[in-house]
Amino acid sequence: MELFLQTLVDGLLIGGLIIVIGVGFSLCFGVMHIIDFAVGEWVMLGAYTAFWMVRYLGRDPFLYLPVIFFLYLAIGYLIYPLIHRAVSGRRHNPALMGLVFTFGLASLIKGGALTAWGFHVRSVTTWLSGESLALGVAVVPALRFAGFAFGVLATVAFMLFLKWSKIGVAIRAMAQDRVMAELLGVDTNRVSALVYAMYTGLTGMAGVLIGALFSIHAGMGLKYTTFAFFVVVLAGMGYVPGVIPAAFLLGLLQSFVTVYVSGRYTLLAVFFVLYLTLLVRPRGLLGRGW
Amino acid sequence: MAVPLFVSSFWLRIATEVLMWAGLAQSWNIIGGYTGYLSFGHGAFFGIGAYTTAILMVHAGWPFWPTLPVGAVLSVLCAATIGIPTLRLRGAYFAIATWAFGEAVRQVATVLEITGGAFGMQLPPFLNLPFFYEAILIATILTYLLAYLLLERSMFGYKLRAIRENEIAAETAGVDTVVTKIEAFALSAIPAAIFGGLYAYLITYIHPDSVLGPAITDLMVVMVLFGGVGTLWGPLVGATAIQLVNRLLWFLRGESTLYLVYAGVAICLVVLFMPDGLMGLVERRRVLFRPRENLKALLRQFKL
Amino acid sequence: TGAAPARDFFKVGVVTSLSGELAFGGNVTKRGYDMWADTVNQLGGIEIAGKRYRVQLIYADDQSTPATAAVAGERLITQEQVDFILGPYASGTTLALAPITEKYKVPHITGSAESPLIWQRKFKYTFGTIPPVSINAQAPIQTLAQDVSPKPQTIAILGIDDPFSKFAAEAFRTAAQKFGIKVVRYEIVPEGSDYTPAVSAAKAQNPDIFAIGSHEKAAIEMIKAAKELKFNPKAFVQHYGMTTPDFRKGLGKDAEYVFGASVWTANLNYKATILFTTPKEYAEKFKAKFGTEPDYTEAASTAAGIAFQEALRQIKATPPLDQAEKDALVAALEKLNIMTFYGPVKFATSGDYYHSNAGLQPIALQYQGGKLVEVGPGKLALAKPRYPTPPWDRR
Amino acid sequence: MLVLEEVSAAYDGVQVLYDISLRLEQGEIVCVIGANGAGKTTILRTISGLLAPIAGRIWFENTRIDRLPPHAIARRGIAHVPEGRRIFDQLTVEENLRMGAFLLQDWHQVREAFDHVYQIFPILFQRRGQRAGTLSGGEQQMLAIARGLMSNPKLLLLDEPSLGLAPKVIDMLFEVILNLNRLGRTILLVEQNASRALEIAHRAYVLEVGRVTLSGPARELQENEYVRRAYLGM
Amino acid sequence: MDMLLEVENLKKSFGGVQAVDDLSFVVQEGSITGLIGPNGSGKTTCFNLISGLLRPDAGSIRFAGREITSLRPSWIARLGIGRSFQIPAPFTRMTVLENVMVGAFSRTRSLGEASRLALEVLEFTGLKEKRDELAANLTTADRKRLEVARALSTGPRLLLLDEVIAGLNPTEVLGAMELIRAIRARGITVFMVEHVMEAVLPLCEWVIVLNFGRKIAEDTPDRIVRNPAVIEAYLGERFRARS
Ligand SMILES: Nc1ncnc2c1ncn2[C@@H]1O[C@H](COP(=O)(O)OP(=O)(O)OP(=O)(O)O)[C@@H](O)[C@H]1O
Ligand SMILES: Nc1ncnc2c1ncn2[C@@H]1O[C@H](COP(=O)(O)OP(=O)(O)OP(=O)(O)O)[C@@H](O)[C@H]1O
Ligand SMILES: [Mg+2]
Ligand SMILES: [Mg+2]
């Protein structure tokens, strides 16, 4: 029973963190129809940035969360025009060209990180590392809880932004009809760049938490790419609210399979669920994707 | 066909590799280029072929040759299994599903006992390089011949191109698009599996990371993109160029993990500036030299 | 291959991972090989029948992939016509290289690869200076079973799904069974997964020992997870991973009390005659040259060169080696039994670990006061093992 | 106010507009009539920047606007209510209208715009919380027009606003257009329903296969023998 | 004459929009039948349902006595229903001949035979001269012709034409009407959606009128133009004045 509860808590906590990656990714897909193969690499870069900032500037990595958000916001904003070029113009299959482009981007980022920072495994320590709270019989690691809380808060803030702000409404409108939004005065290229930038910013921030929780190395991205893909398919491609249940499902699936079956089958279980979803509910668990 | 005797075995090995990649790239091109559905897990078929050969030879004591068709059949079955749910959906779903499939196969190979799990497998060594050179040469020629006959010279190829251009219109013109796409995907898996089997026997040691790693698919995609998507000779041009450059850089050393960066930059640049690949450049030249059409187009444009 | 042109130095091929995923390890072996070649050349070369022959290392990168390792071997042997080969860092690339050296009948020693799989195939031309991980991961378990009291009763083992780590995990299990410690959980998880649930599951068994079969990265994450989960076994056991600087840096003071294993440290008191006299001397020269402390892989790689050097001296072969001399070299290696700064080098000629170094004794280590200390087994101890590990908040 | 000088346009190299010249004065209703596929929609798309002309110039209030992106043109006070409504059907009625007011900076202005359109289309006020996709066709058309009005544009481009509407609704719609014009809005109207359009327009252009073949005061065109035969079905 | 196509109680909605609502009608073999109605009244949706691109929510479709509801579009095409698209959808990177050959493959597997069949269709539709052009380079009128040619290439018994006349200039309209008559003369039943009354009225023997997805009338053209409901919903008051 104790183990069951602990497993439940572990799963939910990780799910909360995955939401952050999923939300940006799903939005990016929903609005611009871009599947970013580099999603895991943004996580990795965020983690590394936190590591180097702590190395050179000291202090706690959590302090740098806003800095990293804005840093990756800026980077995403600057990169977007290239992606835009890849997916527009007279290309044979624009959406797929975007996929290939980000595929190349992922390889580029990963290779760059490997070359610059090598194969060393780094880690950062925060003031929460190693601390934990007791929740009944289960232990809640403080850092994970912080990650979870951050994930949920960031997502709620983000959803509120989408629901109520002017840009938020414009983003949702654009997801439905880009041309019409443009006719109403929305600079759709800039808003797209902004969406992409928010996505990279959020993902970079998630990277800080993930880096603090696990260890940091150049190859760490792959796993989060898997997660992001899994989450958007399960949520329904482009259906942002679906990300929340999907991410929790993924977290729980991981922890329960690891504890009650075997850690070796965790990823397989994930892939199996992904396959089943594509087979029976291709538009996501809630049937709301496109 | 005969092995050029004066060639040192080192160069023979390089030639063998180039040929193999040319064949692999063409296998990807069948689904990714001609059909327009990006398979980001194509390496899985290569790995399935490699493991089938290894398992049958090591655990069942089979001779080499009969293992190849078994690997091909297995790959075809897997392709159908993946293709049936996903080829009904948009291309993005297919890309994600194949990607997941590639990762899943790697997981399976790492978990199973029969594949040696994370230890990998050793095959009985048969280090007759000319044999492999010839075998891979034949396999590559057959792959291109198949591509030529089936994709450039038969009904099937027309259907695939129609699907790539406009799936709905193809469907109403009587093309059973789902079946055709699944056929194309299954077909594209065959050469990949055969090369996998040959590779396993050539290298004698296989491991989930070496025959099922994402790098295999990455390279296929890059080679085809670089050469020219959906053209017969594009994959050959792309594979030769990239594999030779890769080996040359290796030979001259000075290489590190930068190869990932090169590959990434190459993909991005090709997508941005040369979406039709090297063959596209050739094509464009040819178009330039079609004076009559060009003149007509010009006249139309200026309504003369 | 035809006869190589006459020359007065040995051409030594080195295949190792200078790029790709294993580049870090590949560079470790490279430092070991360089240390050997440079030291030999400083002395004017290998002395054979009164004359000195210098050595020239020719590197070929295997890009961390088996296929390239095979091409690299092919190139070194047929293009460069090397006399013998120093092998790769990893087992996978070694397994692809070994058939090539076998085909061309070129002697090959790896200073790093340690998977038992290599030796099972009984390659005639392939040797290794590091004993398989399955042997030496047993050392810390043996120490805990025999040198501390009260003796731990239960163990939970968590291994990573790669050949090296899995063998280590299996070695922990074998040793535990041998020394009468009950295995309450044994689990292999894939590299890179979230280890928290697996650690939770281990914690639920409340074992005395928590043993981790992995490279340093996973070990760091698992120990972090254990701390967060307030999992407090009486001993944490790891093996090679804990000897790396990354491990120490990654965990900080949480590395304290962790047990591990190695086959070599600079503190051992071997007395040798060839090239370096003691581990200490080697460590000093190494540090002077590369600025870092040597670890066992570097030492083993240097020792691989020394093994060749000794065997060549014994058969009095001069460069270039013809096939008869290469075969003689293999025969000499099989008979070799020498003492080096790295310890005894003696290649097994039978059994499961054919041609691996059977001369060495594994050592149990523990972090004590921020330093790696030899704590067993038995007489090899330079300090007493600290057991049990105090709770997290009192370290 | 708006001047097109010899504008030509093409889709994928296929030319559909040939040297179109057209002008609109402040406060006018001008309508463009023509057969299906004549290029009426294309004219509006070229004005609002959705399609870059391959030749010619477009001036709005004495500044050149061809080559500007659509959002920049919208910013200058041109609202385009395109063919086929194109409402955001996942958004509520109110959110659709808020999108219409995207360019307004001032909160008060937005409030006023809301009051204004709710006054014109009271039905939209009743439906303000409803998902726009669930509105009936006529309501959707009203929403599309209301959305166009939200930004308080100087020039309103209406593309077949009566399309798919019940005759009763059409009557009301033309009433609304007239009212808007009386309140000072300049309107460029594209209509299949030529007779109704000519009734409310000041001037009109007849478009045939991408060329302007006739133009003049709406009254005159109504009397024109050719127009009567070809477009008014008399 | 026989009933070639029978549609019964067909329904289709998109979200809140009831695009086709309880629609029933028949198309006689050998006829030219028109389907008209205001924009958005469900004509294209109806064609999409018949050709299998959409699945009906309810109702049935029979073709030559055979139930074809919910069959795959390619099956329906091979059973003998060809269709064109309102917005031309050529295979842009293939030549005109290749475009038409794709359809011809449902009649033959041989490349030579397909190209012979395709050429024949091109000859018939007046596109033979352009057979080696890339479809991307065609003019609007030729694209529409290509739509028809491709639909004919499968050798259909029933041809669904979705606004192939709209967008053509008066001379082109005459040409297109000629072509449609010729198609019927070959024994192919034509079922066409068109707004251009100048073409619909002389061509069609029978006209079905939709409004909001429902059939509001069906009759001969001369009676349709006088039908008050049709005038009210579609043709407009002015049309009455004219006729
Ligand atoms: N996106 C497009 N791509 C290619 N051709 C187009 C496109 N849009 C319109 N056309 C063509 O351009 C021509 C003019 O079209 P346009 O939509 O401007 O006509 P219209 O007068 O508005 O007709 P309607 O009364 O049907 O709305 C038509 O022949 C049409 O087929
Ligand atoms: N895929 C779709 N999703 C949602 N709504 C649709 C879809 N297709 C059509 N509709 C809606 O169904 C209704 C009928 O559309 P349809 O295209 O059949 O009209 P139509 O009679 O062909 O009109 P037109 O004469 O303009 O071509 C319209 O309200 C349209 O908006
Ligand atoms: Mg129009
Ligand atoms: Mg229609």
Side-chain angles (χ1 to χ4, degrees):
Chain A
M1 190 59 208
E2 184 188 332
L3 184 58
F4 179 85
L5 279 180
Q6 184 68 49
T7 313
L8 191 72
V9 168
D10 288 344
L12 289 178
L13 291 185
I14 275 306
L17 200 52
I18 296 171
I19 292 180
V20 192
I21 305 173
V23 163
F25 186 70
S26 172
L27 190 75
C28 188
F29 185 76
V31 176
M32 295 167 297
H33 297 179
I34 290 169
I35 295 183
D36 191 352
F37 252 104
V39 55
E41 308 330 309
W42 296 116
V43 171
M44 182 264 289
L45 283 180
Y48 261 109
T49 313
F51 172 80
W52 290 116
M53 291 181 94
V54 171
R55 163 75 61 93
Y56 289 112
L57 305 172
R59 294 180 208 274
D60 200 86
F62 281 1
L63 278 180
Y64 299 120
L65 274 175
V67 183
I68 286 169
F69 176 72
F70 284 108
L71 178 67
Y72 283 95
L73 195 81
I75 292 176
Y77 198 81
L78 293 177
I79 285 185
Y80 179 74
L82 291 180
I83 296 184
H84 184 77
R85 185 184 158 108
V87 300
S88 59
R90 304 190 52 186
R91 267 147 229 271
H92 304 134
N93 198 337
L96 296 188
M97 276 299 180
L99 209 64
V100 178
F101 182 83
T102 56
F103 191 70
L105 195 63
S107 175
L108 169 63
I109 296 176
K110 185 174 170 193
L114 278 176
T115 311
W117 303 319
F119 289 85
H120 287 281
V121 179
R122 330 267 183 168
S123 48
V124 293
T125 316
T126 73
W127 55 279
L128 282 176
S129 299
E131 302 295 320
S132 48
L133 328 157
L135 181 82
V137 284
V139 179
V140 180
L143 190 55
R144 281 177 187 244
F145 184 74
F148 171 83
F150 169 82
V152 173
L153 282 180
T155 309
V156 168
F158 197 63
M159 298 271 190
L160 287 177
F161 167 79
L162 275 185
K163 179 75 191 154
W164 295 109
S165 78
K166 194 162 109 173
I167 298 282
V169 180
I171 288 171
R172 281 188 293 145
M174 248 174 72
Q176 284 176 51
D177 191 336
R178 247 185 115 85
V179 172
M180 193 59 228
E182 179 84 22
L183 280 180
L184 294 173
V186 181
D187 185 343
T188 52
N189 287 344
R190 274 213 6 230
V191 175
S192 295
L194 190 72
V195 170
Y196 190 75
M198 279 196 295
Y199 145 74
T200 49
L202 273 177
T203 314
M205 271 206 297
V208 178
L209 293 158
I210 287 168
L213 221 47
F214 306 113
S215 52
I216 305 170
H217 56 106
M220 68 191 278
L222 185 69
K223 180 175 150 194
Y224 299 99
T225 307
T226 314
F227 286 179
F229 280 10
F230 177 88
V231 166
V232 292
V233 171
L234 222 58
M237 287 214 201
Y239 181 60
V240 178
V243 165
I244 295 172
F248 282 126
L249 185 69
L250 176 59
L252 291 175
L253 192 66
Q254 265 205 80
S255 64
F256 276 94
V257 172
T258 305
V259 171
Y260 291 102
V261 187
S262 160
R264 307 173 72 190
Y265 298 108
T266 315
L267 267 183
L268 271 185
V270 168
F271 291 130
F272 184 68
V273 171
L274 188 75
Y275 181 78
L276 271 189
T277 311
L278 285 172
L279 195 63
V280 287
R281 290 201 73 94
R283 300 180 70 214
L285 290 180
L286 305 165
R288 300 284 294 276
W290 56 258
Chain B
M1 185 72 37
V3 180
L5 281 175
F6 52 90
V7 171
S8 87
S9 62
F10 168 65
W11 289 108
L12 195 60
R13 199 173 260 274
I14 304 271
T16 310
E17 283 184 339
V18 167
L19 282 172
M20 183 184 86
W21 280 109
L24 280 174
Q26 184 65 276
S27 81
W28 187 88
N29 190 37
I30 293 173
I31 183 76
Y34 280 95
T35 323
Y37 275 74
L38 303 190
S39 163
F40 280 111
H42 221 61
F45 300 123
F46 179 79
I48 288 171
Y51 269 105
T52 308
T53 295
I55 290 169
L56 288 177
M57 288 181 75
V58 172
H59 296 304
W62 284 34
F64 172 65
W65 288 115
T67 64
L68 293 183
V70 178
V73 168
L74 267 178
S75 285
V76 164
L77 290 180
C78 286
T81 314
I82 298 308
I84 286 167
T86 53
L87 284 169
R88 296 173 309 176
L89 309 169
R90 288 166 194 254
Y93 282 95
F94 180 74
I96 290 189
T98 48
W99 186 84
F101 169 68
E103 293 296 311
V105 171
R106 182 150 67 118
Q107 280 298 315
V108 171
T110 316
V111 170
L112 289 183
E113 291 296 321
I114 195 167
T115 56
F119 298 139
M121 288 186 84
Q122 292 179 78
L123 285 86
F126 176 71
L127 298 157
N128 185 345
L129 200 49
F131 166 86
F132 286 103
Y133 171 76
E134 281 172 11
I136 286 181
L137 180 67
I138 292 170
T140 306
I141 291 176
L142 284 179
T143 305
Y144 276 77
L145 202 65
L146 193 77
Y148 177 73
L149 290 177
L150 237 44
L151 304 177
E152 298 277 342
R153 280 285 163 268
S154 87
M155 172 172 97
F156 189 62
Y158 284 81
K159 288 183 171 177
L160 289 190
R161 282 192 292 153
I163 287 171
R164 181 183 65 191
E165 296 300 317
N166 189 322
E167 211 163 323
I168 292 174
E171 183 77 38
T172 56
V175 179
D176 191 331
T177 53
V178 174
V179 170
T180 312
K181 283 185 287 183
I182 292 172
E183 281 169 0
F185 190 36
L187 177 70
S188 75
I190 295 174
I194 303 252
F195 286 114
L198 284 162
Y199 175 90
Y201 199 26
L202 165 67
I203 303 297
T204 73
Y205 172 72
I206 59 171
H207 182 269
D209 289 341
S210 76
V211 295
L212 286 164
I216 309 238
T217 308
D218 291 9
L219 260 181
M220 289 191 231
V221 176
V222 175
M223 286 169 173
V224 176
L225 264 183
F226 196 71
V229 180
T231 59
L232 183 65
W233 299 116
L236 181 70
V237 173
T240 311
I242 286 180
Q243 186 63 20
L244 281 183
V245 167
N246 179 11
R247 280 293 173 237
L248 204 69
L249 285 176
W250 169 78
F251 193 67
L252 302 174
R253 295 214 223 125
E255 222 216 334
S256 63
T257 40
L258 274 175
Y259 73 94
L260 279 172
V261 180
Y262 297 146
V265 170
I267 296 182
C268 292
L269 289 182
V270 167
V271 170
L272 290 178
F273 301 108
M274 213 174 63
D276 296 326
L278 286 176
M279 291 304 282
L281 297 182
V282 178
E283 286 284 314
R284 226 173 291 161
R285 279 185 73 97
R286 218 165 65 207
V287 172
L288 280 181
F289 284 103
R290 266 195 233 145
R292 213 159 52 97
E293 264 104 305
N294 285 302
L295 193 65
K296 263 198 280 180
L298 202 71
L299 292 180
R300 231 187 353 258
Q301 204 166 349
F302 292 95
K303 55 187 171 45
L304 293 170
Chain C
T1 50
R7 49 178 147 79
D8 63 351
F9 60 90
F10 287 104
K11 261 191 169 182
V12 186
V14 186
V15 178
T16 194
S17 311
L18 301 177
S19 68
E21 289 171 46
L22 305 166
F24 180 69
N27 279 300
V28 170
T29 53
K30 181 172 188 297
R31 282 197 290 273
Y33 295 143
D34 285 345
M35 188 72 200
W36 169 67
D38 294 351
T39 314
V40 165
N41 287 338
Q42 258 168 27
L43 298 172
I46 304 176
E47 191 188 327
I48 289 167
K51 196 163 176 289
R52 285 187 180 271
Y53 299 91
R54 301 171 67 83
V55 296
Q56 184 196 4
L57 299 189
I58 300 172
Y59 278 95
D61 177 15
D62 67 27
Q63 296 179 320
S64 309
T65 63
T68 310
V71 187
E74 195 98 47
R75 173 164 95 78
L76 290 177
I77 295 168
T78 65
Q79 302 289 107
E80 303 287 350
Q81 302 188 313
V82 297
D83 295 316
F84 50 90
I85 286 184
L86 292 167
Y89 169 69
S91 308
T93 42
T94 307
L95 280 167
L97 175 63
I100 302 286
T101 56
E102 204 72 1
K103 172 184 167 193
Y104 292 104
K105 300 188 173 26
V106 177
H108 158 216
I109 306 182
T110 165
S112 163
E114 53 199 310
S115 161
L117 287 177
I118 302 169
W119 318 122
Q120 278 164 16
R121 172 129 274 164
K122 300 200 193 310
F123 290 110
K124 179 158 183 258
Y125 290 88
T126 299
F127 297 81
T129 46
I130 294 194
V133 63
S134 0
I135 293 180
N136 60 61
Q138 302 194 4
I141 306 289
Q142 187 184 350
T143 302
L144 284 167
Q146 295 177 342
D147 304 341
V148 303
S149 67
K151 177 184 166 187
Q153 296 303 314
T154 52
I155 182 170
I157 301 164
L158 192 52
I160 295 291
D161 213 351
D162 71 56
F164 171 79
S165 308
K166 220 165 132 182
F167 274 121
E170 272 171 18
F172 288 145
R173 179 159 65 177
T174 315
Q177 281 158 354
K178 189 157 101 193
F179 296 110
I181 300 172
K182 188 161 171 252
V183 180
V184 290
R185 190 170 170 94
Y186 178 82
E187 154 123 81
I188 301 293
V189 296
E191 168 91 70
S193 48
D194 176 7
Y195 304 122
T196 307
V199 175
S200 292
K203 181 192 173 192
Q205 302 294 334
N206 197 21
D208 289 339
I209 303 176
F210 179 45
I212 299 169
S214 72
H215 288 281
E216 66 273 14
K217 175 165 73 76
I220 293 170
E221 291 187 15
M222 288 180 191
I223 291 174
K224 273 190 183 177
K227 183 178 184 189
E228 284 172 349
L229 292 170
K230 295 198 189 309
F231 174 29
N232 209 106
K234 296 200 179 88
F236 283 97
V237 172
Q238 222 272 336
H239 45 102
Y240 289 140
M242 59 85 75
T243 63
T244 61
D246 281 358
F247 181 85
R248 173 111 190 80
K249 271 189 251 160
L251 279 176
K253 71 175 174 34
D254 294 338
E256 200 68 4
Y257 297 98
V258 174
F259 286 90
S262 184
V263 287
W264 184 84
T265 71
N267 300 330
L268 295 171
N269 42 24
Y270 293 127
K271 291 273 180 294
T273 51
I274 313 155
L275 238 40
F276 308 98
T277 53
T278 59
K280 206 177 172 81
E281 185 201 332
Y282 177 76
E284 277 160 9
K285 289 193 172 155
F286 188 94
K287 182 133 197 229
K289 187 170 166 66
F290 296 107
T292 58
E293 307 280 350
D295 77 356
Y296 71 98
T297 305
E298 280 142 344
S301 299
T302 307
I306 294 176
F308 268 133
Q309 174 184 350
E310 259 317 285
L312 284 170
R313 214 178 47 76
Q314 286 177 10
I315 62 167
K316 302 193 170 39
T318 55
L321 299 186
D322 59 25
Q323 191 54 53
E325 285 169 320
K326 286 176 186 163
D327 286 330
L329 186 58
V330 167
L333 284 171
E334 286 191 335
K335 282 197 229 88
L336 202 67
N337 188 357
I338 51 170
M339 188 53 151
T340 69
F341 75 96
Y342 170 71
V345 174
K346 177 179 181 345
F347 298 109
T349 49
S350 62
D352 278 349
Y353 307 124
Y354 183 78
H355 279 186
S356 85
N357 187 2
L360 287 175
Q361 277 247 9
I363 309 144
L365 302 170
Q366 187 181 27
Y367 268 110
Q368 297 186 355
K371 280 213 178 62
L372 272 179
V373 179
E374 294 77 355
V375 294
K379 291 198 301 291
L380 290 174
L382 300 178
K384 279 190 76 65
R386 291 191 184 158
Y387 181 90
T389 302
W392 286 106
D393 45 11
R394 284 198 274 120
R395 293 193 191 172
Chain D
M1 182 179 209
L2 179 77
V3 181
L4 274 69
E5 284 176 6
E6 310 204 321
V7 170
S8 297
Y11 291 105
D12 293 334
V14 182
Q15 190 164 359
V16 293
L17 291 185
Y18 301 89
D19 304 325
I20 302 286
S21 292
L22 185 150
R23 102 187 346 263
L24 241 94
E25 300 303 334
Q26 172 83 40
E28 267 190 321
I29 299 181
V30 169
C31 92
V32 178
I33 57 177
N36 257 299
K40 306 181 295 291
T41 299
T42 309
I43 292 186
L44 297 195
R45 290 169 60 86
T46 330
I47 295 172
S48 62
L50 291 178
L51 190 65
I54 53 173
R57 288 158 304 278
I58 302 175
W59 304 81
F60 180 65
E61 296 185 321
N62 304 322
T63 48
R64 248 185 101 162
I65 58 164
D66 50 296
R67 306 274 175 260
L68 288 184
H71 64 90
I73 294 175
R75 215 163 283 250
R76 280 162 203 271
I78 298 182
H80 182 169
V81 179
E83 202 171 32
R85 300 166 195 162
R86 305 187 84 151
I87 54 157
F88 303 115
D89 39 330
Q90 301 293 319
L91 270 52
T92 63
V93 169
E94 194 158 285
E95 282 171 341
N96 265 281
L97 294 175
R98 256 175 63 191
M99 279 307 296
F102 185 82
L103 288 171
L104 299 186
Q105 300 301 331
D106 184 2
W107 184 83
H108 286 287
Q109 271 181 306
V110 177
R111 265 284 38 104
E112 271 167 35
F114 266 109
D115 291 344
H116 181 62
V117 299
Y118 282 151
Q119 200 186 337
I120 303 176
F121 303 105
I123 185 87
L124 293 183
F125 182 70
Q126 289 169 27
R127 299 285 160 88
R128 65 187 179 281
Q130 193 173 327
R131 272 230 337 265
T134 62
L135 295 179
S136 81
E139 290 160 351
Q140 290 186 0
Q141 186 63 273
M142 288 182 232
L143 176 60
I145 295 170
R147 186 180 57 186
L149 290 172
M150 284 297 287
S151 61
N152 205 2
K154 298 174 192 153
L155 172 63
L156 195 58
L157 310 177
L158 294 176
D159 197 349
E160 309 213 15
S162 72
L163 195 138
L165 295 187
K168 258 179 63 188
V169 185
I170 296 181
D171 289 342
M172 198 204 87
L173 181 86
F174 280 101
E175 207 49 48
V176 167
I177 295 174
L178 265 180
N179 268 327
L180 288 173
N181 179 247
R182 285 191 200 112
L183 293 172
R185 254 353 151 242
T186 312
I187 291 164
L188 180 57
L189 174 67
V190 160
E191 257 297 342
Q192 285 280 8
N193 199 336
S195 47
R196 299 296 296 269
L198 289 177
E199 270 168 25
I200 63 165
H202 300 111
R203 288 189 307 112
Y205 291 82
V206 176
L207 199 64
E208 283 177 346
V209 205
R211 291 192 169 80
V212 174
T213 51
L214 263 179
S215 65
R219 285 280 116 73
E220 279 178 25
L221 288 185
Q222 267 177 321
E223 303 304 317
N224 181 301
E225 205 35 54
Y226 173 73
V227 173
R228 285 169 71 90
R229 207 162 7 90
Y231 296 101
L232 304 178
M234 293 175 203
Chain E
M1 277 194 288
D2 284 337
M3 295 177 293
L4 186 60
L5 181 74
E6 299 159 81
V7 169
E8 254 172 50
N9 306 105
L10 205 58
K11 285 189 182 168
K12 179 75 193 176
S13 66
F14 298 107
V17 183
Q18 191 71 41
V20 168
D21 195 2
D22 207 12
L23 183 63
S24 305
F25 62 81
V26 298
V27 174
Q28 302 287 344
E29 172 123 47
S31 70
I32 299 180
T33 304
L35 181 64
I36 62 173
N39 295 92
S41 58
K43 305 179 295 294
T44 300
T45 305
C46 181
F47 271 20
N48 286 343
L49 290 168
I50 296 170
S51 57
L53 290 177
L54 292 174
R55 275 163 188 265
D57 299 336
S60 80
I61 303 164
R62 270 194 308 284
F63 173 66
R66 183 177 167 176
E67 181 76 33
I68 58 163
T69 324
S70 302
L71 286 186
R72 291 192 54 79
S74 53
W75 274 90
I76 294 175
R78 274 177 274 173
L79 285 176
I81 302 184
R83 76 161 287 175
S84 74
F85 286 92
Q86 182 170 357
I87 297 164
F91 307 129
T92 41
R93 280 186 292 167
M94 295 167 79
T95 64
V96 169
L97 180 66
E98 287 172 338
N99 262 272
V100 180
M101 278 170 70
V102 170
F105 284 127
S106 41
R107 284 195 278 168
T108 171
R109 301 182 63 85
S110 133
L111 219 57
E113 179 67 8
S115 116
R116 202 187 56 72
L117 288 171
L119 272 177
E120 200 241 345
V121 171
L122 289 179
E123 170 103 67
F124 178 65
T125 49
L127 276 173
K128 198 172 174 190
E129 299 295 293
K130 307 224 161 90
R131 61 177 177 265
D132 293 327
E133 287 265 9
L134 280 187
N137 300 338
L138 293 183
T139 61
T140 314
D142 285 339
R143 283 183 185 215
K144 298 225 163 182
R145 271 178 197 277
L146 180 57
E147 276 299 316
V148 178
R150 199 174 53 194
L152 281 173
S153 64
T154 55
R157 276 173 80 185
L158 172 66
L159 192 60
L160 309 178
L161 297 178
D162 196 352
E163 302 203 23
V164 291
I165 289 177
L168 302 185
N169 67 30
T171 28
E172 287 168 342
V173 170
L174 289 179
M177 287 171 67
E178 207 59 37
L179 179 62
I180 292 171
R181 286 209 179 91
I183 289 170
R184 197 258 300 266
R186 298 186 141 203
I188 298 171
T189 309
V190 175
F191 187 30
M192 57 187 285
V193 165
E194 201 57 70
H195 286 296
V196 183
M197 287 303 119
E198 292 76 9
V200 173
L201 300 180
L203 269 177
C204 298
E205 284 120 36
W206 195 253
V207 177
I208 299 164
V209 190
L210 298 188
N211 194 21
F212 294 113
R214 291 173 167 276
K215 183 174 74 182
I216 55 169
E218 60 177 323
D219 215 327
T220 54
D222 50 334
R223 281 203 295 261
I224 276 290
V225 295
R226 287 195 298 270
N227 184 320
V230 178
I231 291 171
E232 154 109 21
Y234 182 58
L235 298 173
E237 289 300 323
R238 323 273 154 175
F239 214 94
R240 175 166 21 214
R242 177 162 66 160
S243 37

